[in-house]
Amino acid sequence: QSVLTQPPSASGTPGQRVTISCSGSSSNIGSNFVYWYQQLPGTAPKLLIYRNNQRPSGVPDRFSGSKSGTSASLAISGLRSEDEADYYCAAWDDSLSGVVFGGGTKLTVL
Amino acid sequence: QMQLVESGGGVVQPGRSLRLSCAASGFTFSSYDIHWVRQAPGKGLEWVAVISSDGSIKYYADSVKGRFTISRDNSKNTLYLQMNSLRAEDTAVYYCAKAGDAYAFDLWGQGTMVTVSS
């Protein structure tokens, strides 16, 4: 049982917009930044979004993040086949004094 | 280019110990907090531990507290994870990750597999 809650799966067709949610609490998302990672099959995770909505250089602007209260979301617009991957949200948790991850969302591009 | 390379994984019996290493290159290792994150086969990411840039501050996940010890040698640009009293549930790929901005893991290693089995 992960501290942050994500839907286990999501799907969309090429060109569509997909949103992945991440729900937490006041001790993590509610008081700290949210991060998003993309993990392609058989590879290490890659930072996609930091500080709730900032993109590292090289990450396409099709990826965007937002946060409201104790929830956050990742939006992917103009869906492409290469976006098929697992996506994880993460945040520091003040109560646990550690980083907590969501359980991950497997995105399928139909 | 910036790189993290883990080593030291393998098959170990329950109750035994193992030490993982993470060699850094291409950036000023001593300026960054470094984390260990693991992923059990077919499962999601689980944070394990963090050590501050100067090694003075360490935090651990409850699941490993008292059994694992994170350390670093800034003169050798290397991070370590000493794992004692290993359990079957510690079986996972272990990644080291650089925290570039607060808890943004902007550089990951390729991972090293640890299998705890009799």
Side-chain angles (χ1 to χ4, degrees), chain B residues 50-101:
Chain B
V50 59
I51 186 168
S52 61
S53 56
D54 64 358
S56 63
I57 301 173
K58 305 172 187 180
Y59 291 111
Y60 299 90
D62 286 344
S63 57
V64 307
K65 203 171 292 182
R67 300 187 299 123
F68 290 12
T69 301
I70 190 172
S71 63
R72 65 192 296 164
D73 186 337
N74 285 344
S75 69
K76 295 182 178 179
N77 290 343
T78 303
L79 171 78
Y80 302 99
L81 185 67
Q82 178 66 43
M83 305 185 294
N84 298 331
S85 302
L86 282 162
R87 306 168 179 166
E89 53 264 37
D90 296 318
T91 294
V93 173
Y94 285 73
Y95 297 100
C96 56
K98 165 183 165 286
D101 176 279

Side-chain angles (χ1 to χ4, degrees), chain A residues 14-101:
Chain A
Q16 265 191 331
R17 183 177 188 270
V18 171
T19 300
I20 297 171
S21 62
C22 176
S23 178
S25 67
S26 59
S27 64
N28 42 66
I29 293 179
S31 52
N32 295 292
F33 290 126
V34 177
Y35 306 87
W36 289 92
Y37 298 90
Q38 177 193 59
Q39 187 176 32
L40 298 171
T43 69
K46 169 190 170 184
L47 179 66
L48 214 53
I49 297 288
Y50 67 102
R51 291 192 180 226
N52 303 332
N53 55 19
Q54 301 299 301
R55 283 186 309 276
S57 60
V59 173
D61 59 6
R62 301 187 296 106
F63 295 90
S64 62
S66 64
K67 174 183 140 175
S68 178
T70 58
S71 293
S73 63
L74 172 73
I76 309 171
S77 59
L79 202 60
R80 304 174 68 160
S81 58
E82 55 260 41
D83 298 333
E84 192 160 282
D86 293 324
Y87 292 85
Y88 297 90
C89 59
W92 178 261
D93 191 294
D94 293 331
S95 297
L96 297 174
S97 294
V99 175
V100 289
F101 282 96

Side-chain angles (χ1 to χ4, degrees), chain A residues 39 43-45, chain B residues 6 35-37 39 93-97 108-111:
Chain A
Q39 187 176 32
T43 69
Chain B
E6 301 94 337
H35 298 244
W36 285 101
V37 177
Q39 186 169 35
V93 173
Y94 285 73
Y95 297 100
C96 56
W108 296 68
Q110 86 288 354

